[in-house]
Each structure stands twice: as C-alpha cells, then as structure tokens.
Amino acid sequence: MATYRHDVLIIGSGAAGLTTALRMRPDARVALLSKGQLTSASTYYAQGGVAAVMDQRDSLESHIADTHIAGAGLCHDDAVRKTVENGPDAIRWLIEQGVGFTQFEEDGRQSLHLTREGGHSHRRVIHVADATGLAISGALIDQIRQRSNVELFEHRTAVDLIVQDGRCTGAYIHDTTTGKTDVFLARAVVLATGGASKVYLYTSNPDVATGDGIAMAWRAGCRVANMEFMQFHPTCLYHPKAKSFLITEAIRGEGGHLLLPDGQRFMHQHDARGELAPRDVVARAIDYEMKRLGADCLYLDISHKPADFIIHHFPTVYAKCLQLGIDITRDPIPVVPAAHYTCGGVMTDLHGRTDLSGLYAIGETAFTGLHGANRMASNSLLECFVFGHAAAQDIGTRLDGLAEPASVPEWDDSLVTDSDEDVIISHNWDELRRFMWDYVGIVRTVKRLQRAMHRIDLLKREIAEYYSNYRISNDLLELRNLVVIGELIIRCALQRCESRGLHYILDYPETAAETGDSILTPAAPVARQPACHLADTI
C-alpha cells in the first residue's frame, strides 16, 4: 500500500473535476482520480447541452428568471446570478479548450446553434448535436493529459476522507485493479463525484453515480441540504436492451410530441406549456398517465419533422434507436421517467467551500442553491464550469498558506477476511434500489416514506456488520454510500410538509406560502483510528 502527496486532491473526472484541475494554478501538484476510466462520469453521457446567454435577443435577467421559476421558489439568487452571469465566459473557455459546438450560417457568418429545452423562455442551449457531454469530456480530457502538474489515477474508489485537527487532508482510496487501499494526502481536497441516482431502480445515470462524495462528506461532519429533490428525467428509452439510455430533452424542444399508447397528446391537460414544461411537471404527468392506463411506457414522437432534420440534429438518438429496431424518422420512441439528477447535496458557499476546512464540493455533489426544488435543463453542466473555476481560484489563493498534512497510518485490513457471501451485497443493493423506487419516487406519501426508513435502518445494520468483517470491494463501498444517500433523501422528504418542485407528496398536495431548505446536520463524526478497518456510523 502506498502514500501519495499532492497539493490538491480532486476526486471525480467529470466536468466539475476536469474544470477544477484545468483552472488550477500551474504550479500546484494535482491528483485527479476517476472511479473507472476518465470517461466514466455522467458528463460523458450528457446529450442536451450547456445553458448560457449567447444571443442578443436573450438576456441574463431572462435566464435568471427562468431558473427561479423552474426552481419553484427555492433557488438562492446569489448562486443563480453567479452561474448565469459567468455563463458566456464559460462557453468561450470551452471553445478555447477545443469543444466544437454545433454552428449554423447566419448572414454569411458562422454562429452557435442554440436549441431550447423545458423551462427556458429563449433558445440558449449550446450543444454539439446530441452528444454534447461526449465532446466536452473528450476535449477537457485531451487538455488535462497535456498538463504536467496533473497526475491521473483511474479505477480508484474513495473510501473515506481523512480529517486531522478539524481539517480535511486527504482520503483513503481503494484501487479496484489491485484490491489495495492507498493514502492520498493533500492540502486541499475537492469532491467532484457526481450525483446519487443509482439509489433508484431506474436511472439514466452511469453505474458510478452512487453518491460517494455526499456520503463521505456527511460521515466527515458536513451538512447536506434538499436531498428530497431528486429529478426524474421524463424520457428514458424503454427497451430491454437499452440500459440507462436518455432521450434528450432537445427533441421536445424541437417540436417532439408526447403521446399516449393510442397516439393522443396529453401534456396540455397537465400544463399550459405542454411538452416544454419543466421536467418535474412532465415526469409527473407521464407517471400519472402510465399509472392511470396501466401502461408500461408512453411515447415521444418527432417523426412529423423531416427525416434529414431529425438525423442531423439527433444522430446519437437516431443511431441508438435504429440499432434496436426503432426508426425515429417514422416511429414514436417508447419512453419512461428515470432518476436523473440530484438537486441537493453537500452544502457549499459560492467558492465551493464546505463546512469542513480544506474540503470543497463541486457539481452535482454540491448544494449551492442554484437548482432550488427543480433543476432547469442544461444548467447542471454550466454549474460545473462556473463553480469549478471559482473553487480553483479560491484554492490557488490559499495554497501557499497551508501546511503539508502530517502522515497518517496505512489502511489496515489484517483483521478482516475475504467474503464468501457476496450475495448479501447484491441482495441488499437490489432491495434498496427497489424500495426507493416504489416508496420514495416521483409521487410519495408519508406512509411510504416511513416504510422506506424502516428498511433503511435494517439495511444500515446489515451493511455495517458486513463492512466490519470483510475486505472492501467497489460494490460494498457503493452500497455503503447508497444506504446513506437513501436515508438522507427520506429524512429530507419527511421534513417537507408540502409539495414543491420535484417533491410531490399526496399527504400535502399544496405548496406552502413560506418555506426554506431542508438542511440536515450530522452528529459529530465518530472518533476512530483511521488505519483500522472497523465499522463506523453510516
């Protein structure tokens, strides 16, 4: 087992982590860790684009107002303004990094092509066809490989943060290729581990989205907020061979119709904005109609548009569906809602700083106040670029005044054994995700939440016992984190006695006149020797 020392430790290789690393001062020694390959983050799979005001017919105030409306009264205005006002510069920076956004010819010159998504009053979503995340991820990874001050570590899963004298100074990191757990020490630590949608049975997210950063920060003593606001994307492809494939919201933005199995449109019965209503409204409408009809899925149809238009604007969706026998130029696409985005997270300020000195959280891991009760489409990538830059600047100004961390003991697994009962992990994993889907999904009740909490309590004890007796694995670490996430979501949901944004509860169907954030404060972290691989508070 090894000990690594750097100035800055960044855990996560999506837009948030890559941006923070690229924006860091060049003399800072940076370790950038990825749970799988560098492309395993959610950013790589993002289709839609980045929301920013790049058209003179649009305005910053309009983008700000749209964000507040989508957030159902819970957005923090300072976070919204910081994000929106820095949006144009973020797009220009991405272009400098080599991102080739889709353009069109206007008045004899090339201009950025802007599309529109739900909740936006203008076309302001900059994109690369329908594979924006892939293009951004590729360009930023190309840049990061050229940085001599950044050391890359793939296939590394974080276990827990290291805290010395009230300051975060690193983390224990499990190498999934060797089975060893190493020590990574740094003067500043950045959590950019993404969201937690894998806590649900159906999700659009990749397998790595298990809430690791949120769970680790909670165990280390950081507050979390608004975890009840889990966004369900309205349209994921419904097909047995299409695991987690998202149907971009831009299809609705370009005129796609949502249909019942009999071919009838229905969205205007739920909201005057129809298919362009915010995601929470559309997802709830689809969920309602599916349950009303007993349907396995509904349909999204863009086939009334010219075939060339469809293939040019949505080549990724077209190719994937065609591979599965669905020609979207002729046929509607079968869709269902799926867990997509974690609007809550680790509480931070406008620099990405958490409650724990030396620890930052960026992107979907963080709660900045930007998204409120419902994230507006394509604001998430923008948040990564803006707050990644802000965190890098803040770390850069503080780095010279921070002492090198003291040495800590190596990870000790001499008192545990290899498991011969891995079925417990898979069983608990499946049970957790299924009852979270059934009881803590798009529509909730107090009784369902209480049932889910009862199951969480039992699972916590089982997982803690297993963790204390057997050598760790990636699956065990993810399960350990997901049960924390499940508890945080349920606790926040039980606190909110109203329906607002993504939290719809039948016991309290009305929206309260006054409300605030659902903030959870952990008990003091359990004092323990960091080298001992023993059960701790989950």
Side-chain angles (χ1 to χ4, degrees):
M1 299 184 189
T3 295
Y4 298 89
R5 287 183 175 272
H6 296 82
D7 294 318
V8 183
L9 170 63
I10 300 174
I11 305 173
S13 63
L18 291 169
T19 299
T20 307
L22 288 170
R23 293 285 202 171
M24 199 67 65
R25 53 190 252 192
D27 63 329
R29 296 171 296 120
V30 178
L32 179 70
L33 276 57
S34 179
K35 199 173 183 181
Q37 296 178 323
L38 290 180
T39 55
S40 63
S42 293
T43 298
Y44 184 81
Y45 301 93
Q47 295 178 8
V50 187
V53 176
M54 303 297 289
D55 187 334
Q56 62 183 5
R57 291 163 291 191
D58 196 2
S59 70
L60 297 175
E61 289 301 322
S62 176
H63 190 178
I64 289 168
D66 290 346
T67 300
H68 277 289
I69 292 169
L74 275 187
C75 298
H76 295 195
D77 191 62
D78 56 354
V80 174
R81 289 186 176 276
K82 179 183 182 67
T83 306
V84 170
E85 290 171 358
N86 285 280
D89 283 341
I91 297 300
R92 287 188 280 269
W93 178 76
L94 288 169
I95 293 172
E96 291 173 0
Q97 306 311 304
V99 180
F101 289 111
T102 297
Q103 300 190 4
F104 73 106
E105 189 170 322
E106 183 180 41
D107 298 330
R109 71 175 190 274
Q110 292 292 309
S111 300
L112 290 170
H113 182 269
L114 307 176
T115 190
R116 184 180 173 191
E117 295 179 341
H120 292 276
S121 57
H122 292 80
R123 286 180 171 267
R124 65 168 70 99
V125 178
I126 301 93
H127 62 101
V128 184
D130 62 347
T132 309
L134 186 151
I136 289 174
S137 181
L140 298 188
I141 289 172
D142 286 345
Q143 290 291 328
I144 210 73
R145 290 191 188 280
Q146 299 176 38
R147 298 296 175 93
S148 59
N149 66 314
V150 179
E151 189 173 2
L152 304 176
F153 297 85
E154 294 182 303
H155 304 287
R156 303 287 182 131
T157 300
V159 181
D160 266 319
L161 297 171
I162 295 170
V163 180
Q164 302 180 70
D165 298 323
R167 180 176 183 80
C168 183
T169 57
Y172 287 98
I173 306 294
H174 185 66
D175 186 336
T176 56
T177 62
T178 66
K180 295 181 179 179
T181 300
D182 300 318
V183 173
F184 279 73
L185 297 176
R187 293 191 280 175
V189 178
V190 180
L191 295 174
T193 55
S197 290
K198 286 293 286 187
V199 76
Y200 287 99
L201 185 62
Y202 301 111
T203 174
S204 65
N205 286 188
D207 290 340
V208 296
T210 52
D212 304 334
I214 299 171
M216 287 192 299
W218 173 257
R219 287 194 292 265
C222 294
R223 292 173 300 162
V224 301
N226 286 11
M227 290 295 291
E228 72 271 35
F229 298 122
M230 295 293 296
Q231 186 176 81
F232 290 79
H233 197 287
T235 55
C236 282
L237 181 60
Y238 179 75
H239 192 283
K241 295 182 180 179
K243 178 183 178 184
S244 305
F245 187 77
L246 184 72
I247 303 298
T248 175
E249 189 163 334
I251 286 183
R252 288 185 282 127
E254 294 295 340
H257 299 156
L258 283 166
L259 306 177
L260 299 175
D262 65 1
Q264 296 295 311
R265 295 179 67 182
F266 62 90
M267 270 309 304
H268 283 88
Q269 298 175 18
H270 294 268
D271 193 282
R273 292 165 289 186
E275 281 83 0
L276 288 178
R279 288 177 176 175
D280 61 323
V281 176
V282 180
R284 199 156 52 243
I286 294 174
D287 181 73
Y288 172 84
E289 296 293 346
M290 287 175 59
K291 289 176 178 174
R292 181 177 70 85
L293 298 170
D296 292 328
C297 66
L298 298 186
Y299 296 88
L300 176 61
D301 188 22
I302 190 73
S303 65
H304 51 278
K305 292 283 189 177
D308 289 346
F309 173 90
I310 295 170
I311 295 170
H312 175 72
H313 280 78
F314 310 111
T316 305
V317 174
Y318 173 76
K320 181 66 174 182
C321 288
L322 196 63
Q323 178 187 348
L324 299 171
I326 304 166
D327 183 351
I328 69 172
T329 67
R330 299 170 179 263
D331 307 313
I333 308 166
V335 294
V336 292
H340 182 61
Y341 191 86
T342 309
C343 290
V346 184
M347 293 187 71
T348 74
D349 64 11
L350 295 183
H351 303 283
R353 297 184 295 230
T354 71
D355 293 333
L356 181 58
S357 177
L359 181 66
Y360 294 72
I362 306 296
E364 196 174 352
T365 304
F367 168 76
T368 63
L370 169 64
H371 304 303
N374 179 32
R375 175 180 71 89
M376 191 167 69
S378 293
N379 270 354
S380 53
L381 283 174
L382 181 60
E383 179 186 32
C384 293
F385 305 130
V386 171
F387 280 86
H389 187 197
Q393 285 184 315
D394 191 74
I395 293 170
T397 61
R398 297 169 180 269
L399 208 53
D400 293 336
L402 300 176
E404 285 282 342
S407 296
V408 297
E410 290 184 351
W411 184 261
D412 182 7
D413 60 3
S414 62
L415 301 179
V416 295
T417 62
D418 291 321
S419 170
D420 58 357
E421 296 181 322
D422 284 352
V423 67
I424 294 175
I425 297 177
S426 60
H427 175 80
N428 286 351
W429 178 286
D430 291 341
E431 181 182 357
L432 172 65
R433 297 178 68 210
R434 186 169 293 279
F435 74 65
M436 286 296 294
W437 180 264
D438 290 340
Y439 297 153
V440 200
I442 296 173
V443 177
R444 301 160 178 173
T445 68
V446 171
K447 181 176 285 188
R448 291 174 192 168
L449 294 174
Q450 290 172 340
R451 285 174 178 165
M453 183 61 81
H454 175 67
R455 288 304 310 150
I456 285 283
D457 289 339
L458 294 175
L459 283 181
K460 281 171 57 179
R461 290 196 290 271
E462 290 181 11
I463 295 166
E465 181 182 3
Y466 193 94
Y467 180 79
S468 66
N469 287 293
Y470 298 108
R471 288 192 175 90
I472 59 176
S473 65
N474 187 66
D475 287 345
L476 175 58
L477 293 174
E478 289 182 334
L479 177 62
R480 176 175 176 250
N481 290 331
L482 279 177
V483 77
V484 174
I485 297 301
E487 180 182 13
L488 296 176
I489 294 171
I490 296 166
R491 286 178 59 182
C492 283
L494 285 169
Q495 277 191 18
R496 187 165 295 281
C497 299
E498 62 163 348
S499 289
R500 182 182 296 271
L502 300 167
H503 175 71
Y504 187 78
I505 185 164
L506 294 177
D507 303 83
Y508 304 100
E510 303 300 322
T511 300
E514 296 184 8
T515 191
D517 297 320
S518 302
I519 299 174
L520 299 178
T521 303
V526 177
R528 61 187 187 275
Q529 291 296 322
C532 295
H533 178 38
L534 300 174
D536 59 1
T537 302
I538 295 180

